[in-house]
């Protein structure tokens, strides 16, 4: 795969030969997966009653200091598998009647994923494919996914690159995620659902409220709604969980509940109606999957 010989799959543009070396994400040329299972805690139109067939990939091109999946994103826990095995995993999940195949932190494996999805479709894979990403994507990589991905489930983490630099070691996050979402929307268009309310295609943008970043989150919502209106869904999340102590004291605490309520009110008063919100009680490590290589 030529893409991996001078890797530019993500905006970091490491340009390393991943057959010989590793870039920022720490991934080599082989797929590495930590968990493949039915997941019931995504947005309602993704999980539904049957669950989402999630495949958690090891490593990450962003590696936020507060990552809830630190064990796999930074630690690289997982198992190396072949592209053929990946295609079989997709088919095995489909046999369990899940609503979709949900690719979690897939960016650095796009080349292998495209081959694996095509192989699985030749063998009967027919359910929607979800691209579950941090949002730090290059336009060229998103273009490669045209006619492969049905649903983009993307984060929009910051509206100020000062926070992106501080917490995710990246200086160009805001313009990059805006451009990526534009490309996603140009491919997917408006959302479509089946008769049970499960999304067949569309874009969901997640905003995880971080401690102290209420005003920043408001700016993200304002931008998304003024740009896309109700043609995309916005998922406003309160589940930030400080699972380990960081060097930033402000991150070592839970989100203020009143801040979250204010953010929801702000979105509603702005006119946002196509949105998901979370109830109290989602701040818990019980919502973090146990990475034990099941299904891999």
């Amino acid at each position: 795969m030529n893409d991996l010989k001078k890797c530019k799959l993500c905006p970091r543009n490491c340009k390393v030969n991943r057959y010989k070396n590793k870039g920022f994400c720490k991934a080599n040329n082989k797929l590495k997966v930590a968990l493949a299972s039915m997941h019931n805690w995504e947005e309602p139109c993704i999980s539904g009653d049957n669950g989402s067939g999630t495949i958690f990939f090891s490593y990450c091109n962003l590696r936020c200091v507060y990552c809830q999946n630190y064990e796999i994103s930074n630690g690289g826990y997982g198992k190396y598998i072949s592209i053929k095995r990946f295609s079989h995993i997709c088919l095995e999940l489909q046999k369990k009647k899940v609503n979709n195949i949900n690719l979690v932190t897939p960016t650095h494996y796009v080349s292998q994923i495209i081959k694996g999805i095509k192989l699985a479709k030749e063998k009967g894979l027919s359910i929607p494919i979800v691209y579950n990403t941090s949002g730090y994507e290059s336009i060229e990589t998103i273009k490669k996914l045209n006619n492969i991905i049905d649903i983009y489930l993307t984060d929009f983490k910051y509206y100020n690159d000062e926070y992106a630099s501080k917490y995710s070691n990246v200086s160009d996050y805001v313009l990059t995620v805006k451009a990526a979402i534009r490309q996603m929307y140009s491919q997917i268009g408006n959302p479509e659902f089946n008769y049970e309310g499960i999304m067949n295609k569309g874009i969901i943008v997640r905003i995880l409220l971080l401690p102290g970043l209420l005003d920043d989150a408001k700016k993200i919502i304002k931008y998304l709604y003024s740009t896309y209106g109700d043609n995309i869904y916005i998922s406003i999340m309160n589940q930030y969980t400080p699972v380990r102590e960081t060097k930033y004291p402000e991150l070592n605490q839970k989100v203020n509940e009143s801040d979250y309520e204010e953010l929801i009110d702000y979105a509603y008063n702005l006119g946002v109606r196509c949105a998901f919100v979370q109830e109290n009680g989602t701040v818990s490590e019980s919502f973090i999957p146990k990475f034990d290589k099941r299904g891999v």
Side-chain angles (χ1 to χ4, degrees):
M1 284 171 283
N2 291 331
D3 285 349
L4 303 182
K5 291 181 179 179
K6 192 176 182 181
C7 189
K8 297 186 289 183
L9 285 174
C10 89
R12 292 193 187 273
N13 288 319
C14 294
K15 298 179 183 178
V16 300
N17 184 342
R18 284 172 52 186
Y19 290 88
K20 298 179 180 180
N21 300 297
K22 298 177 182 180
F24 182 89
C25 70
K26 297 184 180 180
N28 60 22
N29 64 304
K30 297 178 182 178
L31 280 171
K32 196 174 188 183
V33 176
L35 175 67
S37 68
M38 184 175 69
H39 190 52
N40 294 104
W41 301 109
E42 304 287 31
E43 284 74 7
C45 66
I46 300 295
S47 288
D49 293 330
N50 293 338
S52 178
T54 51
I55 302 174
F56 286 86
F57 295 97
S58 306
Y59 303 115
C60 178
N61 70 317
L62 203 56
R63 304 211 323 256
C64 308
V65 297
Y66 53 82
C67 182
Q68 295 180 169
N69 298 341
Y70 192 90
E71 180 183 4
I72 64 173
S73 64
N74 286 263
Y77 177 83
K79 178 182 178 181
Y80 287 111
I81 62 171
S82 66
I83 292 174
K84 185 176 181 180
R85 175 58 192 147
F86 166 69
S87 70
H88 289 168
I89 290 172
C90 293
L91 293 168
E92 289 164 9
L93 288 169
Q94 180 173 260
K95 286 182 181 179
K96 295 180 179 180
K97 307 298 183 183
V98 295
N99 294 313
N100 44 61
I101 301 299
N102 188 344
L103 310 171
V104 185
T105 56
T107 310
H108 43 297
Y109 295 122
V110 160
S111 299
Q112 300 97 318
I113 284 170
I114 290 173
K115 288 192 173 186
I117 293 295
K118 288 180 176 179
L119 185 60
K121 286 186 175 181
E122 290 174 2
K123 300 293 184 179
L125 182 67
S126 60
I127 56 178
I129 310 298
V130 180
Y131 192 81
N132 190 334
T133 169
S134 69
Y136 194 57
E137 300 282 350
S138 74
I139 292 176
E140 290 305 313
T141 294
I142 298 299
K143 286 181 177 178
K144 294 177 191 293
L145 295 166
N146 193 27
N147 298 318
I148 299 292
I149 299 302
D150 302 288
I151 299 166
Y152 284 102
L153 180 56
T154 177
D155 294 343
F156 197 143
K157 293 180 178 293
Y158 320 100
Y159 204 78
N160 185 331
D161 276 326
E162 177 184 342
Y163 301 126
S165 179
K166 186 177 182 181
Y167 300 141
S168 300
N169 195 31
V170 62
S171 61
D172 60 346
Y173 181 84
V174 179
L175 288 179
T176 300
V177 72
K178 285 181 177 180
I181 293 173
R182 279 197 300 270
Q183 182 60 38
M184 294 171 187
Y185 185 73
S186 71
Q187 289 178 197
I188 301 297
N190 297 344
E192 295 180 3
F193 302 84
N194 68 14
Y195 69 96
E196 294 179 326
I198 300 300
M199 184 174 276
N200 285 330
K201 75 167 194 172
I203 298 172
I204 301 173
V205 181
R206 285 175 165 172
I207 302 167
L208 175 65
L209 180 60
L210 295 173
L213 267 61
L214 173 61
D215 289 339
D216 194 68
K218 286 180 178 179
K219 292 175 183 177
I220 297 171
I221 292 174
K222 184 176 181 180
Y223 167 77
L224 290 172
Y225 188 66
S226 64
T227 306
Y228 299 100
D230 288 327
N231 295 322
I232 65 170
Y233 274 73
I234 299 174
S235 183
I236 307 172
M237 307 172 74
N238 71 345
Q239 69 184 56
Y240 175 76
T241 303
V243 293
R244 67 189 51 77
E245 190 167 322
T246 73
K247 64 180 180 180
Y248 303 108
E250 67 272 21
L251 293 180
N252 301 329
Q253 58 186 318
K254 298 178 181 179
V255 168
N256 189 304
E257 290 183 13
S258 64
D259 282 357
Y260 183 66
E261 292 171 0
E262 183 176 336
L263 186 60
I264 294 172
D265 289 342
Y266 174 82
Y268 187 85
N269 292 333
L270 199 63
V272 176
R273 294 297 182 270
C274 291
F276 299 102
V277 299
Q278 294 181 312
E279 298 177 353
N280 292 336
T282 54
V283 182
S284 169
E285 291 188 37
S286 65
F287 287 87
I288 302 171
K290 181 180 180 181
F291 300 112
D292 55 9
K293 303 178 187 177
R294 273 178 297 136
V296 180

